[in-house]
């Protein structure tokens, strides 16, 4: 079984801002952006998304493509191999022997990883959008495709993927989660959109909620959608009626540092048991008790000490067992011991010279 970690937020393509990469500055309004002018010199890929499958992490590393990392020893993760084809790997999903990668302007790429030391691209679909995230269920890949919205691609033949459906309403699709016949989409300033995909050829939006934040990541459990909503922090939405989603709580933390950058910016969220783990920009990893969704309580936090340009930004998070795997902007992957939720401790990291 594959576990998904997402960090849809730190992308090189954005329309509304023009912010330098180093030092990283949080968004002035609602959308994160970068203007990378020396990619070849300063970056070896930007870690955007990670899936853990067994003892291996599959990292969508921006311009660095797909990286395969052995994480069997959390204290000393090690690179196994990589595949780079000139795209911008932003999202990744693993199912069986295939990696499905949202590769920016290169669309959806399908990679055979049956031999981990020799990954091979076997299929691709590109229609001119900007693929940010991907979720696979059954014979379909559901792609959050930026301004192109949701794209549904038939992957029954991995060597020849075919688009069968699409829907967009003017938002910016960043993150995606699929449960049954519904797609839950983090759609930027358009909030959360709920789409009925019972007929994949004719997806229909059935519900939406907008509250002024910037929906970046999403995780759905039971009757609730947990949304990483940028400056608005963690939002909890009752989706028991998909046609009428209702916000039941939000929890935000306006951390502002000495150089007036916004520290807290919720990029991603992962739910494990009664706890939400939020990748919260410079405020690092936030651990929140959501046993009562109407009254969440923060119980623990991890962040790097130091000034803004060395502290880094937590961009994505996944929890498995006693460890949280956090994509950080100062190293590809931080591995944090969360056995004591009130005192999370970093025990290892993977850094091949790039910036997460």
């Amino acid at each position: 079984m594959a576990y998904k970690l997402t960090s849809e937020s730190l992308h090189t393509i954005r329309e509304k801002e023009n912010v330098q990469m180093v030092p990283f500055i949080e968004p002035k309004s609602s959308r994160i952006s970068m203007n990378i002018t020396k990619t070849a010199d300063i970056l070896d890929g930007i870690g955007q998304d990670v899936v853990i499958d067994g003892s291996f992490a599959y990292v969508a590393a921006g311009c660095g493509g797909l990286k395969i990392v052995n994480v069997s020893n959390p204290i000393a993760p090690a690179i196994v191999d990589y595949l780079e084809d000139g795209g911008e790997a932003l999202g990744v999903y693993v199912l069986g022997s295939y990696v499905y990668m949202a590769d920016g302007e290169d669309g959806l790429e399908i990679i055979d990883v049956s031999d981990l030391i020799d990954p091979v691209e076997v299929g691709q679909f590109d229609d001119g959008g900007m693929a940010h995230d991907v979720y696979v269920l059954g014979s379909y890949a559901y792609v959050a495709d930026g301004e192109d919205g949701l794209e549904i691609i038939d992957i029954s033949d991995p060597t020849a993927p075919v688009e069968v459906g699409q829907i967009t309403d003017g938002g910016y699709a960043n993150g995606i989660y699929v449960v049954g016949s519904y797609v839950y989409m983090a759609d930027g300033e358009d909030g959360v959109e709920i789409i009925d995909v019972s007929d994949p050829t004719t997806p229909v939006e059935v519900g939406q909620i907008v509250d002024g934040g910037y929906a970046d990541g999403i995780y759905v459990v039971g009757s609730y959608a947990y949304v990483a909503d940028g400056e608005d922090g963690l939002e909890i939405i009752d989706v028991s009626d998909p046609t009428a989603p209702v916000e039941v709580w939000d929890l935000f933390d306006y951390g502002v540092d000495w150089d007036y950058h916004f520290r807290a910016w919720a990029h991603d969220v992962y739910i494990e048991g009664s706890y939400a783990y939020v990748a919260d920009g410079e405020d690092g990893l936030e651990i929140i008790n959501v046993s009562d969704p109407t009254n969440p309580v923060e119980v623990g936090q991890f962040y790097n000490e130091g000034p803004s340009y060395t502290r880094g930004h937590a961009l994505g998070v996944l929890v498995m067992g006693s460890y949280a795997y956090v994509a950080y902007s100062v190293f590809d992957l931080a591995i944090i011991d969360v056995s004591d939720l009130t005192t999370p401790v970093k025990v290892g990291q993977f850094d091949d010279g790039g910036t997460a």
Side-chain angles (χ1 to χ4, degrees):
M1 183 177 181
Y3 297 82
K4 194 172 196 312
L5 175 152
T6 60
S7 57
E8 298 93 350
S9 315
L10 183 62
H11 302 317
T12 58
I13 304 298
R14 286 291 188 267
E15 300 94 332
K16 294 190 175 180
E17 308 288 346
N18 185 26
V19 183
Q20 280 189 301
M21 171 63 183
V22 181
F24 189 98
I25 298 175
E26 289 286 10
K28 298 175 183 175
S29 57
S30 63
R31 180 167 292 176
I32 296 173
S33 60
M34 299 189 307
N35 181 19
I36 298 178
T37 57
K38 296 181 65 179
T39 299
D41 294 336
I42 65 173
L43 298 176
D44 185 19
I46 299 172
Q48 303 282 351
D49 192 12
V50 177
V51 170
I52 305 293
D53 190 10
S55 297
F56 298 94
Y58 298 82
V59 183
C63 60
L66 173 69
K67 296 181 182 180
I68 303 174
V69 181
N70 188 328
V71 292
S72 56
N73 180 0
I75 298 174
I79 188 73
V80 176
D81 204 354
Y82 68 94
L83 178 67
E84 191 277 318
D85 71 346
E88 185 184 4
L90 302 177
V92 63
Y93 197 101
V94 178
L95 185 63
S97 298
Y98 295 101
V99 167
Y100 300 85
M101 191 161 68
D103 204 26
E105 293 181 343
D106 278 6
L108 175 69
E109 299 200 350
I110 303 176
I111 301 167
D112 186 335
V113 291
S114 54
D115 182 355
L116 292 175
I117 63 173
D118 187 25
V120 179
E121 181 182 315
V122 295
Q124 180 181 19
F125 176 81
D126 177 24
D127 72 344
M130 186 70 181
H132 285 260
D133 194 19
V134 57
Y135 197 108
V136 177
L137 185 64
S139 298
Y140 297 101
Y142 300 84
V143 180
D145 204 29
E147 291 181 348
D148 280 2
L150 169 67
E151 298 202 343
I152 304 174
I153 301 171
D154 186 333
I155 53 170
S156 53
D157 179 357
T159 67
V162 179
E163 180 181 306
V164 296
Q166 180 184 22
I167 184 171
T168 183
D169 72 345
Y172 197 92
N174 291 301
I176 197 165
Y177 204 97
V178 184
V179 179
S181 298
Y182 293 102
V183 167
Y184 300 82
M185 194 159 66
D187 204 29
E189 292 174 350
D190 275 9
V192 173
E193 300 197 354
I194 304 175
I195 301 167
D196 185 335
V197 292
S198 53
D199 178 358
T201 66
T202 311
V204 179
E205 181 180 312
V206 296
Q208 181 180 20
I209 183 167
V210 181
D211 74 340
Y214 186 80
D216 219 354
I218 188 166
Y219 198 104
V220 180
V221 179
S223 298
Y224 295 98
Y226 300 82
V227 183
D229 203 30
E231 289 178 81
D232 279 5
L234 174 67
E235 298 206 341
I236 304 176
I237 300 171
D238 185 335
V239 292
S240 54
D241 179 357
T243 67
V246 178
E247 180 181 307
V248 297
W249 192 260
D250 60 45
L251 182 69
F252 66 93
D253 172 15
Y254 263 132
V256 181
D257 62 14
W258 55 270
D259 49 4
Y260 58 80
H261 300 156
F262 286 110
R263 284 190 351 211
W265 177 276
H267 295 273
D268 189 30
V269 57
Y270 190 93
I271 306 299
E272 178 70 16
S274 298
Y275 296 92
Y277 298 79
V278 180
D280 200 27
E282 286 188 35
D283 271 10
L285 174 67
E286 308 253 11
I287 304 174
I288 301 167
N289 186 329
V290 292
S291 56
D292 178 359
T294 66
N295 186 32
V297 178
E298 181 177 318
V299 297
Q301 180 182 22
F302 168 85
Y303 67 95
N304 280 336
E305 300 286 350
S308 173
Y309 56 89
T310 62
R311 186 162 52 235
H313 294 243
L315 304 174
V317 59
L318 170 145
V319 178
M320 187 164 57
S322 298
Y323 297 102
Y325 298 82
V326 181
Y328 246 96
S329 62
V330 289
F331 30 77
D332 290 313
L333 187 66
I335 302 176
I336 299 172
D337 187 335
V338 291
S339 53
D340 179 354
L341 295 173
T342 65
T343 313
V345 178
K346 187 178 75 171
V347 295
Q349 69 184 55
F350 169 74
D351 182 5
D352 68 350
T355 305

